[in-house]
Amino acid sequence: MKSSRHSRHVTSKWKKNAVLMQSSKLRAYLPETRRFSKEHLSNMLMKHKMVYVKPVNGTWGNGVMRAEYRPHQRQGSYQFQLEKIVRSYGSIDELYASIKKHKFRGSYLIQQGIDLLKYDQRRFDLRVMVQRTPQKVWTTTGIIGRLAHPKKIVTNYHSDGKLVAAEKLLTPYLKGPRLKSYMSTLQDFGEDIADHLKITFPGLREIGVDVAIDQKLRPWILEVNTSPDPFIFRKLKDKSIFRTIMKYARAYGKYK
């Protein structure tokens, strides 16, 4: 699956997921992902009880829906949420028809839902920024937390999410040396992902990995962005992180 030298930006979530699945090491950290269809929606909901339905080429969390199967609910065992609105249905047929009606044009995928950690009753995930140095080595240059709006399902800053230091969000779960060691593991995780993707996409210079952390503190690869927004790191108190990110971005020609 070799791609052109110019593959600096890969938009298809499906394509990136397929490449990551080829790694026996990384495969274990990928939520189950299927193409959007009624059969897959039904099977995935029976198996996982909660899934995310996403545009294959979407950005900033636009068009993302969260669907759930709650067999013990009296009114409507099936529900999905888009933006702040939750809709309930009595059957998978009704749920599927409604999701189809509300989705954007273009292809969608269904991803196993991860029960995210929360901070202040709000779900969060992490963005891990990995860049290629002038020495052609991948290095993790920043990790930032993204706290979801209390009434929304996506954590993106562009969808009213809040940017917070990752350490702050993880402190209720990990302290001292354990937190430090966990952050270091996340850095290695990001670099492993970049190393694997660059084999297929040799033009890559940077990636932003969206990492979900479940209740057992297991990291999951939600998505890999090949043109990540560096400016979110300006929100961190430690200004040296943003300076480093920009230094590398300029070195590979992203900014003049």
Side-chain angles (χ1 to χ4, degrees), residues 6 12 91 132:
H6 306 294
S12 169
S91 71
R132 208 162 166 212

Side-chain angles (χ1 to χ4, degrees), residues 185-200:
T185 303
L186 289 174
Q187 291 177 352
D188 295 344
F189 191 46
E191 288 157 18
D192 287 346
I193 293 164
D195 272 327
H196 180 72
L197 285 174
K198 79 159 193 302
I199 300 164
T200 304

Side-chain angles (χ1 to χ4, degrees), residues 21-34:
M21 280 298 285
Q22 292 165 6
S23 160
S24 54
K25 184 178 177 182
L26 297 172
R27 197 181 300 141
Y29 301 100
L30 287 164
E32 186 182 353
T33 306
R34 296 275 180 261

Side-chain angles (χ1 to χ4, degrees), residues 111-168:
Q111 189 180 66
Q112 167 190 348
I114 305 301
D115 188 11
L116 296 178
L117 289 185
K118 288 183 179 177
Y119 183 89
D120 264 356
Q121 304 301 305
R122 293 161 68 172
R123 294 183 190 90
F124 71 86
D125 61 18
L126 306 176
R127 164 61 63 91
V128 180
M129 182 81 170
V130 191
Q131 292 172 285
R132 208 162 166 212
T133 69
Q135 291 73 42
K136 300 190 170 33
V137 176
W138 287 103
T139 184
T140 297
T141 45
I143 301 177
I144 196 166
R146 307 185 311 168
L147 195 58
H149 181 282
K151 292 193 168 74
K152 288 193 176 183
I153 53 166
V154 293
T155 57
N156 300 60
Y157 180 55
H158 302 279
S159 298
D160 304 322
K162 190 178 173 195
L163 298 165
V164 182
E167 293 84 348
K168 183 176 177 178

Side-chain angles (χ1 to χ4, degrees), residues 31-250:
E32 186 182 353
T33 306
R34 296 275 180 261
R35 291 195 184 277
F36 178 70
S37 72
K38 188 159 89 176
E39 187 189 359
H40 286 156
L41 183 65
S42 177
N43 294 343
M44 293 269 287
L45 279 173
M46 287 299 136
K47 186 173 173 184
H48 302 296
K49 303 296 182 272
M50 189 264 284
V51 298
Y52 282 86
V53 180
K54 303 175 166 186
V56 169
N57 294 305
T59 54
W60 294 346
N62 292 330
V64 174
M65 300 174 230
R66 174 185 165 109
E68 293 185 67
Y69 172 54
R70 300 178 165 191
H72 308 300
Q73 293 279 93
R74 280 200 182 147
Q75 291 162 320
S77 308
Y78 295 93
Q79 67 173 45
F80 84 90
Q81 181 174 350
L82 174 63
E83 294 289 333
K84 295 178 184 173
I85 297 167
V86 180
R87 298 171 172 89
S88 298
Y89 302 96
S91 71
I92 189 74
D93 291 352
E94 290 173 297
L95 175 77
Y96 175 72
S98 187
I99 288 177
K100 264 192 88 166
K101 194 175 95 181
H102 287 94
K103 77 181 195 62
F104 296 158
R105 286 175 63 175
S107 44
Y108 268 61
L109 53 80
I110 305 169
Q111 189 180 66
Q112 167 190 348
I114 305 301
D115 188 11
L116 296 178
L117 289 185
K118 288 183 179 177
Y119 183 89
D120 264 356
Q121 304 301 305
R122 293 161 68 172
R123 294 183 190 90
F124 71 86
D125 61 18
L126 306 176
R127 164 61 63 91
V128 180
M129 182 81 170
V130 191
Q131 292 172 285
R132 208 162 166 212
T133 69
Q135 291 73 42
K136 300 190 170 33
V137 176
W138 287 103
T139 184
T140 297
T141 45
I143 301 177
I144 196 166
R146 307 185 311 168
L147 195 58
H149 181 282
K151 292 193 168 74
K152 288 193 176 183
I153 53 166
V154 293
T155 57
N156 300 60
Y157 180 55
H158 302 279
S159 298
D160 304 322
K162 190 178 173 195
L163 298 165
V164 182
E167 293 84 348
K168 183 176 177 178
L169 298 179
L170 289 168
T171 296
Y173 305 94
L174 293 157
K175 302 261 190 294
R178 282 187 66 213
L179 176 59
K180 206 173 170 186
S181 154
Y182 194 82
M183 293 297 289
S184 164
T185 303
L186 289 174
Q187 291 177 352
D188 295 344
F189 191 46
E191 288 157 18
D192 287 346
I193 293 164
D195 272 327
H196 180 72
L197 285 174
K198 79 159 193 302
I199 300 164
T200 304
F201 308 116
L204 288 185
R205 298 290 178 268
E206 56 182 12
I207 61 168
V209 187
D210 292 340
V211 176
I213 297 171
D214 70 16
Q215 304 296 322
K216 292 178 178 160
L217 299 182
R218 178 192 182 83
W220 293 83
I221 305 166
L222 286 184
E223 207 171 296
V224 179
N225 190 321
T226 56
S227 184
D229 177 2
F231 295 100
I232 60 174
F233 289 91
R234 272 204 299 210
K235 297 279 179 189
L236 293 176
K237 207 175 267 178
D238 181 354
K239 299 303 172 197
S240 69
I241 294 170
F242 178 64
R243 284 199 296 272
T244 303
I245 289 171
M246 290 306 283
K247 182 181 79 177
Y248 290 140
R250 288 193 186 98

